[in-house]
Amino acid sequence: GQKLRRPLHFYVAALRALDLLNVEVAYDDLAVLGQVPYEWLPPNGYPVTATPWATTSGLNARWNLAFELASGASLGSEERMYTDLIDLIDPAPTVIELVENVSRRIYGRVLPTAQLTAFVDYASDKGGGSTPVTPQLLSRKLQGLFGLMIAAPQFQWV
């Protein structure tokens, strides 16, 4: 958690987490994030420190893109390759298990309980981790849950 992912690394990690691949929109996405490969003019390459990337507009672009990727939306006229998010995780009877499964997919591990609380509150509408997962809950909350976890600080900082 000491180094902010550069935009290209953030983008590739988000695509992997969501099992997406569509190079037709990658250039546009990376342009919005500010790191199109080979377009940095100085000969030293893109900055590796957090300062140039941890700006209001830089973080806002990441957050917006996290939700657009999770929803399968398009920044331009091209369509993104659609992934059924429910196929990326194991079935979960309760919200806490759902959040843990999405955490495993996004972060490669289950986050500590203190960090999961906000995600559980979102997914359960503050009903708690024991709230049953229904098809209606999944249709209302799954895309947002994936987007929130990709937009969260735990995904930005490695």
Side-chain angles (χ1 to χ4, degrees):
Q2 299 298 310
K3 184 172 177 153
L4 182 70
R5 289 180 196 227
R6 291 192 289 171
L8 179 62
H9 297 142
F10 163 79
Y11 186 66
V12 170
L15 292 179
R16 284 181 177 168
L18 296 168
D19 198 27
L20 289 174
L21 176 60
N22 192 344
V23 294
E24 293 176 11
V25 295
Y27 181 90
D28 294 335
D29 291 344
L30 291 171
V32 167
L33 293 174
Q35 191 182 3
V36 176
Y38 309 112
E39 289 199 7
W40 184 256
L41 296 179
N44 58 350
Y46 282 101
V48 295
T49 60
T51 305
W53 308 116
T55 63
T56 305
S57 60
L59 292 174
N60 189 48
R62 289 171 185 240
W63 299 333
N64 288 335
L65 187 60
F67 287 99
E68 288 177 20
L69 289 172
S71 69
S74 176
L75 290 177
S77 59
E78 290 92 3
E79 297 273 330
R80 293 193 190 279
M81 184 178 290
Y82 177 73
T83 298
D84 194 352
L85 297 176
I86 195 67
D87 292 339
L88 298 179
I89 57 173
D90 294 329
T94 63
V95 166
I96 187 67
E97 292 171 89
L98 173 68
V99 171
E100 288 173 349
N101 289 345
V102 175
S103 175
R104 266 189 218 89
R105 178 68 194 195
I106 301 296
Y107 305 115
R109 64 188 170 88
V110 175
L111 293 175
T113 304
Q115 294 178 5
L116 286 179
T117 303
F119 299 120
V120 169
D121 287 347
Y122 165 77
S124 68
D125 291 323
K126 296 207 179 228
S130 61
T131 302
V133 173
T134 63
Q136 294 80 13
L137 183 137
L138 285 174
S139 69
R140 287 186 311 111
K141 297 292 185 168
L142 192 59
Q143 285 181 352
L145 185 58
F146 269 88
L148 282 171
M149 285 197 181
I150 292 171
Q154 296 90 336
F155 191 80
Q156 307 295 323
W157 294 86
V158 292

